[in-house]
Every structure is written in structure tokens, then in C-alpha cells.
Amino acid sequence: MEQEINQQPVVEVELGSLKLVGSPRLSGERPEHVHVLAAAQNPLPPIVVHRPTMRVIDGFHRLKAARLRGEDKIAVRFFDGEEAEAFVLAVQLNVTHGLPLALADRKRAAERITASHPQWSDRKVASVTGISPGTVGDIRRRIVREVESDVRRIGRDGRLRPVDGSVGRVLAGELLLQNPELSLRQVARAAGISPETARDVRNRLRNGEELLPKPRRRKQSGTGGDGGAGGTTERKGAGGAPGTTSADGDVVGRAEFGGLVLAQRPGRARGVSVRDRAALVSRLKADPALRFTDTGRNLLRLLALHSLRREEWDAIISNVPPHCGDIVADLARQFADLWSEFAVRVKEDMAQIG
């Protein structure tokens, strides 16, 4: 949707015809940011407006800066979709560039989008709002009442997938037993599952295992489900040491890996401390299973990049050229999403092996 709006023509619109309502920012606009934009000599980038209502979707600060400059017109790209889609676009644009939405704004936006788009998967909502899929799941359980007919959801790639994959797995198992020569794509298409799931089913049949993976146990305590009211999840840390994890992924407690006790605590740098991360990477570098394979060495190089000290990160951030800030922030967010998906898939593979 963001790419489509960027392809729309830019037109000049009278400031007085535009409405400033429905912002996803709970605390409203920041006056200091408006003054910074107004003082800049460059023309203001086009704002996005919902044509049916003339409501500003993206560009509240720019519109107020234009007023402060004394201008009577502003560059606009129009969006013609429904109100619910206009809100989704507003959140998406404010998360990926410009002045980012606060965490409270993104959680409130996730509540609204989950309610208006119950068929969307947690990952799809998370990709729009910039919060973790786990937090979206907690929000969904709190505000959305599942109905029997709601058995499939739309993922980030736009494909419709079942919420409960057990039926598809059983059907895939029956198909493979009847005709072992079927390709994985044929089985996946017939059973309504992914080719990777079909591969897992085939491997389980060959190994004489149950078709359905054992569910991972997750114990909740406290009253909050979105990380804002004390909700926590008890889980085993690396090496089996117990720890406590908030719904947003912050780890509190202790974990052990290869004899190294890790002090895990919440904060901007989630999980373990900088020193502990560096120690973990050093231990992984000594592992022959990683050192002597191309993929292992690639992984070690990627992990080493994230072992910088806090002051090193601060130095990098302070030296990002202003004209590159939006692009760098957007790429960092995309890379964070890739790492999050990577972590989920690694955990899933571990669960299947175990």
C-alpha cells in the first residue's frame, strides 16, 4: 500500500480544505518538530490525504509547518480507499519514516487494526505497527473473540493460511500414505499447507513420529497481556535455566550457555548484556559446526556485527547524515523484522527436532 501511494500524482491543495483528525498519535503532534520543519529551507515533502473525507493520513507536522510558514497550499498525494484502510496506511507511514510513533501509539493502533482486520495474521499486523507478533497475539486474545468460521488468516505475503494447521497436516499424511510419489508441492496444494510443512509431515512419517508437533508450553502470570500491565511468561533460558520474559520479549532473570551464566534484564538492548553477548559470540566462534561451514561462518559474521558496545552504537547513530536518516531507520527496522523471523524459525526447528 505504501508503494502504491508513492506512485500517485502530486497535486497542490488549499490548506483550508484539509482536516487534521484521527491521528494515530495519542499525545498529538510535537511543536518542536513542527518548528524544525518550518525553519528548513527545502520544500515540504507531499502529505497523504484521504480523498473522500479530505482527512490528513500522513503529514500532520508538515501541514502545521506549512501554516507556520504562511503558505496557503501544500503538495498532496490522495488515497481513495476505505476509512479502515486509511488508518492502516497512516500507521504504516508513521512507523516506517518521519517522526516514529511511540510504543503506546503502536499498541493502540494494533488494537484498532486487529479489531478492523481480524482475518490478518499476527505477523501481518506486526509488520504494519512495528511491534512484535507476540504482542499482537496478546492483544488479539484480549480484544477479539474468535468465531468458529475464523479458521484462516492473511499473512504478510497476502496468502490465506489456516490458524490451526493440524487438519492440513493430517490430510497431508493421508495423501502421502496413499501415494508416496506425490511431490511436496502437490501435497501442500491439496492439503492447504506450505511445502515446508509438507516436508516436515513426510519426514515424520518416515521416522515413525506423530504428525502434529508437540505444542510449546507457555505459562502466563499477572493480569497484563500486552506487556503494559505486568504480564510475563515463564520460560527456559539458554541451556535450560529458568527466566521470565515479558510479552514484548524483554528477558528478566538468568540463563546459562556452555557454563557461562548470563544476566538477563530488560532495557533498550534486550536480552543479555553487551559483555555477555560478546562472550556468547566468542564461544560460538569456537564451535566447529559453525567455524568449518560457509553458512556457519556467515552467521558468525552477522552475529559479530551486533556485538558492539553501547557507545559504539551511539557514535554510529550520531554520525548518520540527516539526509540518510529515514532510509537508514527504515532499513534497520526491516533488518530487525528479518532477525525476528529468523529467531522464530530457529526455535521452530529446534522444537521439531526435539
Side-chain angles (χ1 to χ4, degrees):
M1 193 154 44
E2 183 177 355
Q3 293 179 345
E4 294 176 2
I5 202 66
N6 289 334
Q7 295 173 357
Q8 296 299 314
V10 178
V11 297
E12 294 284 326
V13 175
E14 296 282 347
L15 297 184
S17 65
L18 302 175
K19 300 177 182 178
L20 287 173
V21 294
S23 171
R25 299 182 191 276
L26 301 177
S27 58
E29 290 67 54
R30 297 185 185 177
E32 65 274 13
H33 190 58
V34 173
H35 283 84
V36 168
L37 292 174
Q41 299 299 315
N42 298 330
L44 295 169
I47 66 175
V48 180
V49 174
H50 187 223
R51 195 196 303 268
T53 61
M54 295 302 288
R55 180 173 64 83
V56 175
I57 295 175
D58 178 52
F60 278 57
H61 291 95
R62 279 166 278 167
L63 178 58
K64 291 192 173 183
R67 288 176 178 173
L68 196 60
R69 287 181 177 183
E71 299 173 356
D72 56 0
K73 290 185 177 181
I74 192 169
V76 166
R77 284 192 171 101
F78 280 113
F79 175 73
D80 295 300
E82 300 292 334
E83 279 277 8
E85 300 305 322
F87 181 77
V88 170
L89 180 60
V91 174
Q92 189 174 24
L93 292 174
N94 279 279
V95 164
T96 56
H97 68 78
L99 191 64
L101 292 176
L103 178 60
D105 297 332
R106 286 180 275 137
K107 286 185 176 180
R108 181 64 61 85
E111 291 179 3
R112 181 168 168 179
I113 293 173
T114 302
S116 64
H117 297 73
Q119 75 279 16
W120 280 16
S121 70
D122 293 346
R123 287 186 178 280
K124 186 172 179 64
V125 176
S127 69
V128 172
T129 56
I131 60 179
S132 70
T135 301
V136 175
D138 290 334
I139 290 172
R140 186 189 300 277
R141 285 187 288 273
R142 178 161 52 85
I143 69 170
V144 176
R145 177 169 298 186
E146 299 285 356
V147 295
E148 291 184 2
S149 59
D150 186 16
V151 296
R152 295 189 297 174
R153 294 192 189 133
I154 300 173
R156 292 176 59 183
D157 57 2
R159 296 178 61 185
L160 199 62
R161 291 185 174 87
V163 176
D164 181 5
S166 59
V167 176
R169 281 179 169 270
V170 172
L171 178 56
E174 293 175 354
L175 291 171
L176 287 169
L177 286 173
Q178 295 170 4
N179 191 350
E181 301 303 319
L182 287 174
S183 70
L184 293 177
R185 290 191 177 278
Q186 289 174 320
V187 173
R189 191 180 302 113
I193 58 178
S194 70
E196 283 303 312
T197 302
R199 184 190 306 278
D200 181 64
V201 170
R202 186 180 65 183
N203 291 339
R204 287 174 178 274
L205 285 174
R206 290 176 175 174
N207 297 332
E209 301 174 357
E210 295 288 339
L211 296 183
L212 305 181
K214 294 181 180 178
R216 283 168 286 179
R217 307 179 77 178
R218 179 175 172 172
K219 187 191 292 183
Q220 297 262 343
S221 63
T223 58
D226 61 354
T232 59
T233 301
E234 184 179 285
R235 75 177 186 186
K236 294 293 184 180
T244 303
T245 307
S246 71
D248 276 335
D250 291 331
V251 182
V252 185
R254 298 164 65 83
E256 186 174 342
F257 176 80
L260 175 66
V261 177
L262 308 176
Q264 299 181 306
R265 52 189 176 272
R268 289 183 60 189
R270 293 176 174 176
V272 300
S273 68
V274 174
R275 181 180 300 176
D276 287 340
R277 283 202 302 270
L280 280 175
V281 173
S282 295
R283 287 181 177 273
L284 290 174
K285 287 180 178 179
D287 191 325
L290 295 174
R291 289 178 56 195
F292 300 123
T293 63
D294 289 337
T295 55
R297 286 191 292 269
N298 286 336
L299 175 60
L300 291 174
R301 281 192 288 268
L302 290 171
L303 293 173
L305 288 174
H306 296 281
S307 301
L308 300 178
R309 298 188 304 276
R310 178 63 177 274
E311 55 268 25
E312 292 176 304
W313 282 114
D314 290 342
I316 293 174
I317 293 170
S318 62
N319 285 282
V320 174
H323 65 280
C324 300
D326 287 345
I327 298 175
V328 171
D330 188 29
L331 286 172
R333 199 181 304 279
Q334 292 182 40
F335 293 149
D337 289 341
L338 288 173
W339 273 114
S340 178
E341 182 178 354
F342 175 85
V344 170
R345 293 181 62 182
V346 168
K347 287 288 188 181
E348 289 175 348
D349 287 349
M350 290 172 57
Q352 291 176 2
I353 294 173

